[in-house]
PDB file of all heavy atoms in Angstrom:
ATOM      1  N   VAL U 312     112.547  67.285  74.900  1.00 95.00           N
ATOM      2  CA  VAL U 312     112.070  67.385  73.518  1.00 95.00           C
ATOM      3  C   VAL U 312     111.688  68.819  73.168  1.00 95.00           C
ATOM      4  O   VAL U 312     111.791  69.243  72.025  1.00 95.00           O
ATOM      5  CB  VAL U 312     110.885  66.420  73.292  1.00 95.00           C
ATOM      6  CG1 VAL U 312     110.401  66.487  71.840  1.00 95.00           C
ATOM      7  CG2 VAL U 312     111.285  64.994  73.642  1.00 95.00           C
ATOM      8  N   GLY U 313     111.232  69.564  74.155  1.00 95.00           N
ATOM      9  CA  GLY U 313     110.917  70.973  73.935  1.00 95.00           C
ATOM     10  C   GLY U 313     109.739  71.182  73.002  1.00 95.00           C
ATOM     11  O   GLY U 313     108.738  70.461  73.059  1.00 95.00           O
ATOM     12  N   LEU U 314     109.864  72.120  72.087  1.00 95.00           N
ATOM     13  CA  LEU U 314     108.763  72.493  71.210  1.00 95.00           C
ATOM     14  C   LEU U 314     108.419  71.423  70.186  1.00 95.00           C
ATOM     15  O   LEU U 314     107.379  71.509  69.524  1.00 95.00           O
ATOM     16  CB  LEU U 314     109.103  73.805  70.486  1.00 95.00           C
ATOM     17  CG  LEU U 314     109.267  75.041  71.382  1.00 95.00           C
ATOM     18  CD1 LEU U 314     109.679  76.238  70.535  1.00 95.00           C
ATOM     19  CD2 LEU U 314     107.990  75.324  72.156  1.00 95.00           C
ATOM     20  N   ARG U 315     109.273  70.430  70.041  1.00 96.00           N
ATOM     21  CA  ARG U 315     108.974  69.342  69.095  1.00 96.00           C
ATOM     22  C   ARG U 315     107.932  68.374  69.645  1.00 96.00           C
ATOM     23  O   ARG U 315     107.398  67.550  68.907  1.00 96.00           O
ATOM     24  CB  ARG U 315     110.263  68.595  68.746  1.00 96.00           C
ATOM     25  CG  ARG U 315     111.223  69.417  67.904  1.00 96.00           C
ATOM     26  CD  ARG U 315     112.539  68.687  67.648  1.00 96.00           C
ATOM     27  NE  ARG U 315     113.347  68.605  68.867  1.00 96.00           N
ATOM     28  CZ  ARG U 315     113.752  67.461  69.428  1.00 96.00           C
ATOM     29  NH1 ARG U 315     113.390  66.303  68.905  1.00 96.00           N
ATOM     30  NH2 ARG U 315     114.501  67.470  70.511  1.00 96.00           N
ATOM     31  N   LEU U 316     107.659  68.424  70.935  1.00 97.00           N
ATOM     32  CA  LEU U 316     106.645  67.568  71.540  1.00 97.00           C
ATOM     33  C   LEU U 316     105.288  68.251  71.428  1.00 97.00           C
ATOM     34  O   LEU U 316     105.099  69.355  71.945  1.00 97.00           O
ATOM     35  CB  LEU U 316     106.984  67.309  73.006  1.00 97.00           C
ATOM     36  CG  LEU U 316     106.080  66.312  73.742  1.00 97.00           C
ATOM     37  CD1 LEU U 316     106.266  64.902  73.173  1.00 97.00           C
ATOM     38  CD2 LEU U 316     106.399  66.311  75.239  1.00 97.00           C
ATOM     39  N   PRO U 317     104.324  67.638  70.750  1.00 98.00           N
ATOM     40  CA  PRO U 317     103.005  68.269  70.626  1.00 98.00           C
ATOM     41  C   PRO U 317     102.368  68.527  71.995  1.00 98.00           C
ATOM     42  O   PRO U 317     102.687  67.867  72.988  1.00 98.00           O
ATOM     43  CB  PRO U 317     102.194  67.237  69.826  1.00 98.00           C
ATOM     44  CG  PRO U 317     103.220  66.443  69.082  1.00 98.00           C
ATOM     45  CD  PRO U 317     104.401  66.367  70.002  1.00 98.00           C
ATOM     46  N   VAL U 318     101.463  69.466  72.007  1.00 98.00           N
ATOM     47  CA  VAL U 318     100.783  69.857  73.248  1.00 98.00           C
ATOM     48  C   VAL U 318      99.303  69.497  73.137  1.00 98.00           C
ATOM     49  O   VAL U 318      98.661  69.792  72.122  1.00 98.00           O
ATOM     50  CB  VAL U 318     100.945  71.365  73.502  1.00 98.00           C
ATOM     51  CG1 VAL U 318     100.162  71.787  74.741  1.00 98.00           C
ATOM     52  CG2 VAL U 318     102.418  71.728  73.644  1.00 98.00           C
ATOM     53  N   PHE U 319      98.772  68.865  74.162  1.00 98.00           N
ATOM     54  CA  PHE U 319      97.347  68.565  74.193  1.00 98.00           C
ATOM     55  C   PHE U 319      96.547  69.838  74.479  1.00 98.00           C
ATOM     56  O   PHE U 319      96.908  70.608  75.372  1.00 98.00           O
ATOM     57  CB  PHE U 319      97.023  67.555  75.298  1.00 98.00           C
ATOM     58  CG  PHE U 319      97.572  66.178  75.067  1.00 98.00           C
ATOM     59  CD1 PHE U 319      98.659  65.710  75.794  1.00 98.00           C
ATOM     60  CD2 PHE U 319      96.988  65.327  74.132  1.00 98.00           C
ATOM     61  CE1 PHE U 319      99.160  64.442  75.596  1.00 98.00           C
ATOM     62  CE2 PHE U 319      97.487  64.048  73.918  1.00 98.00           C
ATOM     63  CZ  PHE U 319      98.576  63.603  74.656  1.00 98.00           C
ATOM     64  N   THR U 320      95.504  70.039  73.718  1.00 97.00           N
ATOM     65  CA  THR U 320      94.554  71.083  74.110  1.00 97.00           C
ATOM     66  C   THR U 320      93.826  70.611  75.368  1.00 97.00           C
ATOM     67  O   THR U 320      93.880  69.422  75.729  1.00 97.00           O
ATOM     68  CB  THR U 320      93.525  71.353  73.010  1.00 97.00           C
ATOM     69  OG1 THR U 320      92.699  70.185  72.847  1.00 97.00           O
ATOM     70  CG2 THR U 320      94.210  71.691  71.688  1.00 97.00           C
ATOM     71  N   GLU U 321      93.138  71.495  76.015  1.00 97.00           N
ATOM     72  CA  GLU U 321      92.393  71.113  77.220  1.00 97.00           C
ATOM     73  C   GLU U 321      91.360  70.039  76.898  1.00 97.00           C
ATOM     74  O   GLU U 321      91.187  69.071  77.652  1.00 97.00           O
ATOM     75  CB  GLU U 321      91.714  72.345  77.822  1.00 97.00           C
ATOM     76  CG  GLU U 321      91.011  72.064  79.137  1.00 97.00           C
ATOM     77  CD  GLU U 321      90.433  73.310  79.770  1.00 97.00           C
ATOM     78  OE1 GLU U 321      90.832  74.432  79.363  1.00 97.00           O
ATOM     79  OE2 GLU U 321      89.586  73.177  80.671  1.00 97.00           O
ATOM     80  N   GLN U 322      90.697  70.158  75.767  1.00 97.00           N
ATOM     81  CA  GLN U 322      89.694  69.180  75.368  1.00 97.00           C
ATOM     82  C   GLN U 322      90.333  67.829  75.067  1.00 97.00           C
ATOM     83  O   GLN U 322      89.821  66.775  75.471  1.00 97.00           O
ATOM     84  CB  GLN U 322      88.922  69.675  74.144  1.00 97.00           C
ATOM     85  CG  GLN U 322      87.828  68.728  73.672  1.00 97.00           C
ATOM     86  CD  GLN U 322      87.107  69.253  72.441  1.00 97.00           C
ATOM     87  OE1 GLN U 322      87.468  70.274  71.879  1.00 97.00           O
ATOM     88  NE2 GLN U 322      86.073  68.542  72.008  1.00 97.00           N
ATOM     89  N   GLU U 323      91.473  67.845  74.354  1.00 98.00           N
ATOM     90  CA  GLU U 323      92.174  66.602  74.042  1.00 98.00           C
ATOM     91  C   GLU U 323      92.664  65.916  75.303  1.00 98.00           C
ATOM     92  O   GLU U 323      92.576  64.689  75.443  1.00 98.00           O
ATOM     93  CB  GLU U 323      93.356  66.893  73.110  1.00 98.00           C
ATOM     94  CG  GLU U 323      92.952  67.281  71.699  1.00 98.00           C
ATOM     95  CD  GLU U 323      94.117  67.804  70.890  1.00 98.00           C
ATOM     96  OE1 GLU U 323      95.194  68.087  71.474  1.00 98.00           O
ATOM     97  OE2 GLU U 323      93.955  67.962  69.670  1.00 98.00           O
ATOM     98  N   SER U 324      93.182  66.698  76.219  1.00 98.00           N
ATOM     99  CA  SER U 324      93.674  66.152  77.470  1.00 98.00           C
ATOM    100  C   SER U 324      92.571  65.415  78.216  1.00 98.00           C
ATOM    101  O   SER U 324      92.770  64.295  78.719  1.00 98.00           O
ATOM    102  CB  SER U 324      94.240  67.276  78.346  1.00 98.00           C
ATOM    103  OG  SER U 324      94.658  66.777  79.600  1.00 98.00           O
ATOM    104  N   GLU U 325      91.403  66.019  78.278  1.00 98.00           N
ATOM    105  CA  GLU U 325      90.273  65.400  78.976  1.00 98.00           C
ATOM    106  C   GLU U 325      89.809  64.133  78.267  1.00 98.00           C
ATOM    107  O   GLU U 325      89.375  63.174  78.906  1.00 98.00           O
ATOM    108  CB  GLU U 325      89.120  66.389  79.102  1.00 98.00           C
ATOM    109  CG  GLU U 325      89.365  67.492  80.123  1.00 98.00           C
ATOM    110  CD  GLU U 325      89.626  66.920  81.514  1.00 98.00           C
ATOM    111  OE1 GLU U 325      88.863  66.031  81.956  1.00 98.00           O
ATOM    112  OE2 GLU U 325      90.612  67.340  82.153  1.00 98.00           O
TER     113      GLU U 325
END
Side-chain angles (χ1 to χ4, degrees):
V312 182
L314 296 177
R315 291 176 289 121
L316 186 67
V318 176
F319 292 106
T320 66
E321 185 176 344
Q322 181 181 5
E323 289 169 348
S324 177
E325 287 302 313

